[in-house]
Amino acid sequence: MYRQRIAAAFGGARPRVFAAFWLFGVINNVLYVIILSAALDLVGPHLPKAIVLLFNVIPGFVVKLFAPYFIHHIPYSARVLLCCVLSFVGMLLNALSPAYTDGGSISTKMAGVVLASLSSGGGELSFLALTHYYGQSSLAAWSSGTGVAGLVGAGAYALATNTLKLSVRSTLLASSFLPVFMLISFFLVLPQDALRTARYLRVTSPNPASDPLDSEEADDEGVAESLLEPSKSLPATSDMSRKDSWLQNLKDNLHRSRSLVMPYMLPLFLVYLAEYTINQGVSPTLLFPLASSPFDSFRSFYPAYNAIYQAGVFISRSSTPFVRIRNLYIPTILQIINLAFLISQSIFGFLPSAWWIFLTMFWEGLLGGAVYVNTFAEILENVSESDREFSLGATSVSDSAGICIAGFLSLSLEPELCGWQVRHGKDWCNQL
């Protein structure tokens, strides 16, 4: 049975396609994870870590919300170049600006986080849409790569700062050069034949509906060609046709978006709302006596929880060849139960040791990653080919929306939980 599923997911997959999309997933997400792992070091112990989450998510959310309606006019090569430049400059700002302990400005660091977020949001939107041209194996590779990014980003940051005792500055500076691998993946590793074929069809196809890359551009070109006659009314007619075509395309895309809400967008939104509320609003308060824990400082709990969570994400995002989840609401409900369970632990402290939290964080990662990868796998299988590229990109806004709202909730939730603990004799959350 598993052999058949693997064959269905990877049958006919070209190694270069798989490698390219796997690297896209790793590089596009790893800086996002590193920034979240460095949240405590970026803003210090006295500000909610959700501030970093919001600056790391809102710009990307805005990109995902509006870009699907116009980004098809921008070639994929230009998108990749822009994403690499934004992420490189953003990480440099974080690395080279003075630390908060040295009087450094948090606003400069948040500007760097915003640039990295724009890159991550635009990259996810573009690469998910690009899987339309390369099939299920490219989606499996992308999802596995994003899972690896979480594991590598969180694990490497914890290893570098906790074990190797490297400075935050050195760790962030080294990570700023990672976008180079995205350029290599797109321009040297990824076969370009699918994109060349799509561009050829766009130019040669007399039927705009057959254009897999940019049907609305083909509409405009066809209208312009049919009107190439010596007439004084040509500019007004051409402009009118282009405006009508753009408005019709916008209406069609809005209609497509409505059909995606219940089966795909809502469960993806809810699962990310629950898990990022856990990660940014609850997990900083899930602390235990150092004597009964594997750590020598309270600061070490937060990056350790994040690394374990990312391990679960990696496994589940790589699981579609083995396990498929058709009902996306089941793991979503379980994730909401996780949130309630961990809030109860933060308030009442009924678990005897951090090892129970380690297991719960791993389970949280499994659930979140499973909903993510199965959402887009279901779209690839069930949405018509003419709507698939748009649907893949448009649905990606759901996770960012959930993360944004989780960030706002966590701004008040973390201080409230910490204050409750302090009032009941545990001030560990103030010793981070």
Side-chain angles (χ1 to χ4, degrees):
M1 179 177 65
Y2 289 141
R3 186 172 300 175
Q4 292 175 345
R5 289 179 178 175
I6 294 173
F10 298 110
R14 290 178 290 176
R16 287 177 58 189
V17 171
F18 190 91
F21 276 91
W22 189 83
L23 287 170
F24 292 153
V26 172
I27 304 303
N28 190 72
N29 280 37
V30 71
L31 298 182
Y32 169 85
V33 174
I34 288 173
I35 288 172
L36 289 185
S37 299
L40 178 61
D41 299 311
L42 292 176
V43 302
H46 303 298
L47 292 176
K49 269 55 70 183
I51 291 176
V52 177
L53 175 65
L54 290 173
F55 278 93
N56 203 17
V57 174
I58 290 178
F61 167 68
V62 173
V63 170
K64 293 180 184 180
L65 186 62
F66 295 106
Y69 304 97
F70 65 83
I71 201 170
H72 49 272
H73 294 294
I74 304 175
Y76 280 101
S77 56
R79 301 187 212 178
V80 173
L81 282 170
L82 180 60
C83 287
C84 290
V85 171
L86 288 173
S87 57
F88 174 72
V89 175
M91 293 305 292
L92 279 184
L93 284 176
N94 278 293
L96 299 180
S97 59
Y100 74 92
T101 53
D102 300 326
S105 171
I106 292 179
S107 60
T108 303
K109 294 185 180 297
M110 292 304 101
V113 174
V114 167
L115 293 179
S117 174
L118 292 172
S119 171
S120 178
E124 182 177 9
L125 172 70
S126 297
F127 292 128
L128 279 171
L130 193 60
T131 63
H132 167 63
Y133 301 106
Y134 292 92
Q136 280 278 5
S137 62
S138 63
L139 176 62
W142 160 267
S143 299
S144 178
T146 58
V148 170
L151 186 61
V152 169
Y157 188 82
L159 177 67
T161 57
N162 288 344
T163 305
L164 301 180
K165 305 301 181 184
L166 295 178
S167 67
V168 174
R169 176 191 178 95
S170 298
T171 304
L172 296 179
L173 186 61
S175 67
S176 66
F177 293 94
L178 291 174
V180 173
F181 293 98
M182 184 182 291
L183 293 175
I184 294 172
S185 301
F186 185 84
F187 291 102
L188 299 180
V189 179
L190 181 69
Q192 299 290 315
D193 51 350
L195 292 178
R196 283 195 293 266
T197 300
R199 285 193 292 268
Y200 174 78
L201 291 174
R202 179 185 62 194
V203 173
T204 61
S205 174
N207 180 10
S210 66
D211 176 7
L213 184 63
D214 194 354
S215 60
E216 55 273 17
E217 281 189 7
D219 277 337
D220 293 345
E221 292 170 5
V223 170
E225 290 175 3
S226 67
L227 295 173
L228 287 179
E229 299 176 357
S231 171
K232 292 182 180 179
S233 63
L234 172 61
T237 305
S238 179
D239 290 344
M240 184 71 70
S241 299
R242 289 177 181 274
K243 182 178 180 180
D244 291 344
S245 176
W246 186 87
L247 289 175
Q248 184 59 46
N249 178 63
L250 179 61
K251 292 178 181 178
D252 291 343
N253 285 339
L254 289 173
H255 178 73
R256 292 169 184 162
S257 297
R258 287 195 295 270
S259 67
L260 299 171
V261 172
M262 292 304 296
Y264 309 117
M265 300 178 81
L266 182 59
L268 189 60
F269 165 79
L270 291 175
V271 80
Y272 270 81
L273 172 62
E275 70 185 83
Y276 273 83
T277 302
I278 292 172
N279 293 348
Q280 303 302 125
V282 183
S283 69
T285 67
L286 299 175
L287 304 172
F288 293 85
L290 295 178
S292 62
S293 76
F295 307 118
D296 56 7
S297 70
F298 290 111
R299 176 200 172 277
S300 299
F301 281 92
Y302 182 77
Y305 288 154
N306 196 33
I308 294 169
Y309 155 78
Q310 295 293 351
V313 170
F314 164 64
I315 291 174
S316 58
R317 288 197 181 189
S318 305
S319 66
T320 50
F322 311 97
V323 178
R324 282 297 305 278
I325 298 175
R326 306 291 180 180
N327 189 334
L328 300 174
Y329 283 94
I330 293 176
T332 298
I333 292 171
L334 291 175
Q335 193 73 291
I336 295 172
I337 294 173
N338 264 355
L339 172 61
F341 173 76
L342 290 175
I343 290 176
S344 300
Q345 164 60 25
S346 178
I347 294 173
F348 302 110
F350 51 83
L351 295 177
S353 73
W355 295 100
W356 293 98
I357 304 297
F358 294 160
L359 289 174
T360 307
M361 299 302 289
F362 182 73
W363 174 237
E364 176 204 348
L366 288 177
L367 294 173
V371 173
Y372 179 91
V373 68
N374 283 281
T375 295
F376 295 107
E378 288 290 297
I379 291 174
L380 274 179
E381 287 187 5
N382 299 324
V383 174
S384 64
E385 185 175 354
S386 60
D387 296 337
R388 194 177 298 153
E389 182 183 13
F390 170 82
S391 299
L392 288 165
T395 303
S396 68
V397 74
S398 304
D399 58 351
S400 295
I403 296 171
C404 283
I405 296 179
F408 285 112
L409 290 175
S410 299
L411 283 175
S412 58
L413 181 60
E414 181 192 350
E416 285 296 324
L417 292 175
C418 181
W420 168 276
Q421 293 178 354
V422 171
R423 291 192 298 272
H424 289 77
K426 295 192 300 185
D427 65 342
W428 302 329
C429 57
N430 287 331
Q431 300 179 36
L432 299 176

